[in-house]
């Protein structure tokens, strides 16, 4: 149970380290590989690393782990920086593992001099063959006992480009019978004649993750190097290298990856969704990427609250996507401006309202008075939501139906008298009578109605494209299902509504969030133009999925 005492076991460790004076202040780092856009898992790691130094002092570095020249790109570097800033965090130093290539090379030479590393001419298949299994020891490579001089010479020639890709590697000389397979002479360097996005063609040998990561931590004097659980077995090698090289002793700590239900959270899989055209790009609003969520209308506060509220775990689990949406609603409820939009419109005509007359009603912009009020025009012909009318009222139906009364939000009570239908049975118009004495704010009629519906004045309304999103996948954990994860994509994750919106939304700005009454939270999409406004539904007002389960 002690694990649950604190939401964040790393805070306990750091508090102890500061109390005992092990460190005077702490240094963390966020180390993304620039091979894709950041997702919610990274957001967790960002909130954790930056959150800890925000709380305890010290600072956090942004280090691009750019040791693999083939998959990396400056486009990704820029998007990563933008995402971190958007979340509201600021790094102390912007660093690149590739800046350390010279130092790492020296470290490798030092290991060779200590007779703790050797050049191996085996192919990757041969290396794999001699590796052994978790229950059987491996066997020494025939190249393991090369002399120091020979290793120094070969390693230098590897660097000078004399050998083909894959023909030689540099390996640490540890123990081929080690119980930890990662300690069985792990690879430190490989040959790769590839152009690097920062170092260009200077290098044709590149350090492996295990030889770059801990050493970079050490160079930057990172006190708490936080990574995800799959690196637990790597910690032994991390410590071994630091000890043998006699460099600054950074320490590695692990926590469970953040997984979310109904999505996938691996850059490799997200890239497939982009490349195969299942989504419109890394920042498609259905993507669990930070850029996708930003475009969808998520706020930094909602993401940070979500990360803080759940904390971190020592065991893998999947967090319900609804929890993230809960944090989002909580934030948007306070900040979103209220407006009316009709997503599936049908005409409502007020028979006894004067032709050509317009009234202007005041309506609150939100629950907080400081948000002020807006003017909403009203006239004889309105658009209302098709689903707010029933030809034959069901039991407990409090909205429109022949003979039924309903309040039009901020305006009057109306009674439905009749309706028109086309040959296909679709309702084309609803005719009502309004009661002038029921005007909102000055209603002394004594009339009581149970339902209030939203509307927009037909003559004043603008058209807008409204994009309604659903879960990207039909199952909780697409990666755990049989076959390809892409087989479980929800084909209905995007629906387009041709809506009518109230005139105040003409001035909608991309940073503002809106609550369309009864329809959810929305934001302007970057595809929007003044002639063709486009809104994204960020989230519904209630959890539609929870309701479905209850049914
Ligand atoms: P992916 O598999 O999506 O490529 P990664 O771990 O390879 O993820 P990196 O760019 O190497 O991505 O990760 C940068 C940092 O973010 C690392 O410290 C990593 O541990 C952390 N991170 C990545 N994914 C998650 C996740 N799902 N939950 C928590 N932290 C994560
Ligand atoms: Mg990675």
């Amino acid at each position: 149970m002690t694990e649950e005492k604190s939401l964040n076991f790393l805070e306990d460790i750091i508090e102890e380290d500061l109390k005992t004076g092990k460190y005077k202040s702490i240094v963390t780092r966020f180390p993304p590989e620039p091979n894709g856009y950041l997702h919610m898992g990274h957001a967790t790691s960002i909130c954790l690393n930056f959150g800890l130094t925000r709380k305890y002092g010290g600072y956090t570095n942004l280090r691009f782990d750019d040791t693999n020249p083939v998959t990396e790109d400056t486009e990704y570097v820029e998007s990563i920086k933008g995402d971190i800033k958007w979340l509201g965090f600021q790094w102390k130093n912007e660093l690149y593992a590739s800046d350390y290539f010279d130092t790492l090379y020296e470290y490798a030479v030092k290991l060779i001099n200590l007779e703790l590393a050797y050049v191996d001419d085996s192919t990757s298949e041969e290396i794999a063959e001699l590796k052994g299994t978790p229950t059987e020891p491996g066997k020494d490579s025939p190249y393991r006992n090369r002399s120091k001089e020979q290793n120094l010479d070969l390693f230098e020639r590897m660097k000078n480009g004399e050998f083909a890709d894959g023909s030689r590697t540099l390996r640490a000389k540890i123990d081929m019978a080690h119980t930890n397979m990662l300690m069985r002479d792990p690879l430190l360097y490989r040959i790769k004649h590839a152009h690097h996005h920062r170092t260009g063609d200077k290098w044709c040998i590149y350090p492996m993750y295990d030889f770059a990561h801990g050493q970079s931590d050490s160079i930057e004097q990172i006190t708490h190097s936080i990574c995800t659980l799959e690196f637990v077995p790597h910690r032994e090698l991390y410590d071994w290298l630091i000890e043998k090289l006699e460099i600054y002793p950074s320490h590695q700590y692990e926590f469970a990856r953040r997984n979310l239900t109904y999505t996938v959270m691996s850059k490799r899989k997200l890239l497939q969704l982009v490349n195969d055209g299942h989504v419109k790009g890394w920042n498609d609003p259905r993507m669990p990427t930070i850029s996708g969520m930003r475009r969808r209308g998520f706020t930094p506060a909602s993401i940070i609250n979500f990360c803080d509220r759940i904390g971190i775990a020592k065991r893998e689990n999947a967090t319900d996507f609804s929890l993230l949406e809960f944090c989002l609603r909580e934030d948007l409820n306070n900040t979103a401006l209220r407006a009316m939009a009709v997503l599936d419109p049908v005409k409502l005509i007020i028979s006894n309202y004067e032709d050509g007359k317009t009234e202007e009603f005041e309506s609150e912009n939100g629950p907080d008075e400081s948000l002020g009020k807006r003017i909403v025009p009203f006239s004889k012909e309105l658009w209302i939501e098709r689903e707010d009318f029933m030809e034959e009222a069901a039991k407990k139906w409090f909205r429109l139906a022949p003979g039924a009364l309903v309040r039009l939000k901020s305006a009057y009570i109306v009674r439905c008298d009749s309706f028109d239908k086309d040959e296909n049975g679709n309702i084309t118009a609803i005719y009502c009578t309004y009661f002038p004495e029921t005007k909102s704010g000055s209603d002394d009629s004594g009339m009581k109605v149970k339902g209030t519906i939203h509307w927009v004045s037909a003559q004043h309304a603008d058209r807008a494209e409204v994009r309604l999103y659903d879960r990207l996948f039909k199952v909780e954990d697409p990666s755990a299902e049989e076959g390809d994860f892409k087989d479980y994509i929800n084909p209905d994750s995007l629906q387009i509504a041709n809506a009518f919106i109230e005139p105040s939304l003409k001035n909608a700005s991309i940073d503002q969030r809106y609550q369309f009454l009864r329809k959810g939270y929305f934001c302007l999409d970057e595809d929007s133009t003044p002639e063709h406004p486009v809104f994204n539904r960020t989230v519904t007002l209630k959890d539609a999925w929870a309701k479905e389960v209850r049914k």
Side-chain angles (χ1 to χ4, degrees):
M1 290 306 279
T2 45
E3 222 180 275
E4 284 164 22
K5 198 182 72 191
S6 159
L7 270 182
N8 183 339
F9 64 92
L10 286 164
E11 294 185 348
D12 296 341
I13 292 173
I14 289 172
E15 282 180 19
E16 184 67 14
D17 287 348
L18 290 172
K19 202 169 79 192
T20 60
K22 182 171 176 189
Y23 302 111
K24 289 217 159 44
S25 74
I26 63 166
V27 186
T28 61
R29 86 287 174 264
F30 174 63
E33 189 181 340
N35 63 347
Y37 283 62
L38 298 183
H39 51 60
M40 264 308 293
H42 297 110
T44 304
S45 175
I46 292 170
C47 290
L48 182 61
N49 280 295
F50 286 90
L52 287 169
T53 52
R54 191 175 266 184
K55 181 164 180 184
Y56 295 106
Y59 59 86
T60 301
N61 284 341
L62 169 60
R63 183 199 316 141
F64 290 102
D65 193 343
D66 59 348
T67 48
N68 182 0
V70 183
T71 53
E72 291 150 10
D73 204 306
T74 40
E75 174 198 343
Y76 298 134
V77 168
E78 291 311 313
S79 80
I80 288 169
K81 291 200 285 188
D83 286 348
I84 300 172
K85 281 194 197 148
W86 178 74
L87 282 173
F89 294 109
Q90 184 55 56
W91 52 89
K92 167 100 169 173
N93 303 300
E94 176 185 332
L95 302 161
Y96 293 79
S98 57
D99 292 340
Y100 309 136
F101 280 172
D102 285 298
T103 311
L104 294 172
Y105 183 80
E106 282 166 30
Y107 286 167
V109 169
K110 184 168 173 182
L111 284 180
I112 296 174
N113 276 315
L114 291 166
E115 306 213 27
L116 290 172
Y118 62 97
V119 173
D120 195 332
D121 300 359
S122 310
T123 62
S124 54
E125 292 78 26
E126 287 164 347
I127 290 178
E129 231 162 81
L130 295 181
K131 188 106 200 196
T133 67
T135 49
E136 276 170 64
K139 293 197 185 76
D140 286 0
S141 157
Y143 305 96
R144 197 173 199 263
N145 291 317
R146 275 179 163 156
S147 71
K148 185 162 75 181
E149 291 68 30
Q150 211 178 356
N151 282 322
L152 286 171
D153 173 60
L154 283 170
F155 188 52
E156 185 170 0
R157 289 165 60 195
M158 274 170 69
K159 181 188 81 158
N160 292 341
E162 288 187 32
F163 310 123
D165 285 6
S167 62
R168 285 187 167 84
T169 53
L170 183 75
R171 299 177 71 178
K173 193 171 180 177
I174 306 179
D175 179 3
M176 286 306 290
H178 205 288
T179 48
N180 180 350
M181 298 273 289
L182 287 168
M183 296 294 277
R184 294 183 187 171
D185 292 9
L187 263 50
L188 304 180
Y189 266 94
R190 62 191 161 149
I191 303 174
K192 200 157 215 163
H193 291 266
H195 188 84
H196 188 278
H197 78 117
R198 279 175 67 86
T199 58
D201 296 315
K202 179 174 173 192
W203 295 91
C204 62
I205 55 170
Y206 290 95
M208 304 300 289
Y209 172 89
D210 281 320
F211 191 62
H213 203 88
Q215 286 50 54
S216 303
D217 285 343
S218 180
I219 292 168
E220 293 171 25
Q221 308 212 344
I222 302 298
T223 56
H224 298 78
S225 171
I226 302 162
C227 61
T228 43
L229 284 181
E230 67 271 26
F231 290 99
V232 169
H234 296 249
R235 195 193 322 130
E236 206 169 358
L237 179 55
Y238 184 104
D239 292 341
W240 186 89
L241 286 166
I242 283 179
E243 184 199 319
K244 301 299 176 198
L245 290 167
E246 298 182 305
I247 53 179
Y248 180 87
S250 298
H251 286 279
Q252 175 183 304
Y253 300 89
E254 307 87 9
F255 71 103
R257 289 181 88 78
R258 164 83 62 235
N259 299 310
L260 282 177
T261 56
Y262 298 103
T263 191
V264 291
M265 215 119 74
S266 128
K267 280 179 282 189
R268 195 175 48 79
K269 287 186 179 143
L270 295 173
L271 182 63
Q272 283 182 50
L273 294 178
V274 174
N275 286 344
D276 297 356
H278 294 291
V279 294
K280 289 185 198 126
W282 281 101
N283 72 341
D284 186 296
R286 290 164 291 180
M287 292 278 270
T289 52
I290 298 181
S291 50
M293 294 171 60
R294 172 168 63 228
R295 182 166 173 191
R296 170 95 168 240
F298 277 77
T299 57
S302 62
I303 294 175
I304 291 170
N305 285 344
F306 169 78
C307 291
D308 284 353
R309 190 167 286 177
I310 303 178
I312 49 163
K314 284 184 183 170
R315 229 168 290 138
E316 284 260 356
N317 60 354
T319 309
D320 200 334
F321 201 88
S322 314
L323 208 58
L324 180 55
E325 294 184 332
F326 173 86
C327 295
L328 181 61
R329 288 188 190 99
E330 199 176 52
D331 185 31
L332 293 179
N333 184 41
N334 295 324
T335 53
L337 295 181
R338 271 47 174 179
M340 292 198 278
V342 174
L343 305 192
D344 184 14
V346 62
K347 229 356 143 36
L348 182 153
I349 298 154
I350 306 173
S351 311
N352 62 336
Y353 198 85
E354 212 177 299
D355 284 341
K357 177 175 168 180
T358 296
E359 283 181 88
E360 293 190 325
F361 295 127
E362 276 199 331
S363 206
E364 316 79 42
N365 275 335
D368 189 338
E369 273 183 19
S370 68
L371 293 171
K373 294 195 171 177
R374 69 189 195 284
I375 299 294
V376 190
F378 183 84
S379 63
K380 186 182 178 80
E381 296 198 3
L382 310 173
W383 293 112
I384 65 159
E385 217 64 71
R386 191 169 289 279
E387 64 177 19
D388 281 339
F389 175 79
M390 263 185 124
E391 262 182 84
E392 282 176 55
K395 245 189 173 174
K396 295 205 171 165
W397 176 257
F398 299 126
R399 291 175 267 165
L400 273 180
L405 296 170
V406 81
R407 174 169 291 282
L408 299 170
K409 170 75 184 166
S410 304
Y412 299 102
I413 291 176
V414 294
R415 183 190 63 222
C416 172
D417 301 320
S418 62
F419 59 90
D420 289 341
K421 233 190 211 188
D422 66 14
E423 62 271 23
N424 301 319
N426 296 317
I427 309 291
T428 52
I430 298 162
Y431 299 92
C432 291
T433 299
Y434 89 113
F435 301 92
E437 65 279 17
T438 60
K439 187 169 167 178
S440 279
S442 58
D443 182 352
D444 51 12
S445 68
M447 284 170 84
K448 290 268 175 291
V449 292
K450 283 203 169 140
T452 299
I453 64 172
H454 63 278
W455 50 272
V456 292
S457 164
Q459 157 197 356
H460 302 95
D462 287 309
R463 280 196 172 275
E465 176 181 330
V466 175
R467 298 177 181 168
L468 305 169
Y469 303 104
D470 200 349
R471 306 273 196 253
L472 190 49
F473 288 90
K474 292 179 289 190
V475 294
E476 277 202 8
D477 184 359
S479 308
E481 298 286 336
E482 223 168 89
D484 191 81
F485 76 99
K486 296 195 287 312
D487 298 342
Y488 299 91
I489 290 178
N490 174 6
D492 302 317
S493 61
L494 169 62
Q495 278 173 15
I496 308 246
N498 292 307
F500 284 109
I501 56 176
E502 66 166 67
S504 79
L505 289 168
K506 237 196 244 322
N507 304 320
S509 77
I510 206 134
D511 297 322
Q512 184 63 54
R513 305 289 183 271
Y514 301 90
Q515 185 193 100
F516 291 177
L517 292 186
R518 302 172 63 222
K519 289 282 126 189
Y521 293 101
F522 295 78
C523 68
L524 205 63
D525 186 78
E526 62 184 38
D527 287 345
S528 211
T529 63
E531 299 73 42
H532 184 78
V534 180
F535 285 88
N536 293 316
R537 178 153 68 191
T538 309
V539 66
T540 53
L541 290 177
K542 291 205 188 89
D543 188 348
W545 282 54
K547 245 193 306 192
E548 217 160 89
V549 175
R550 276 204 300 274
K551 259 184 211 160

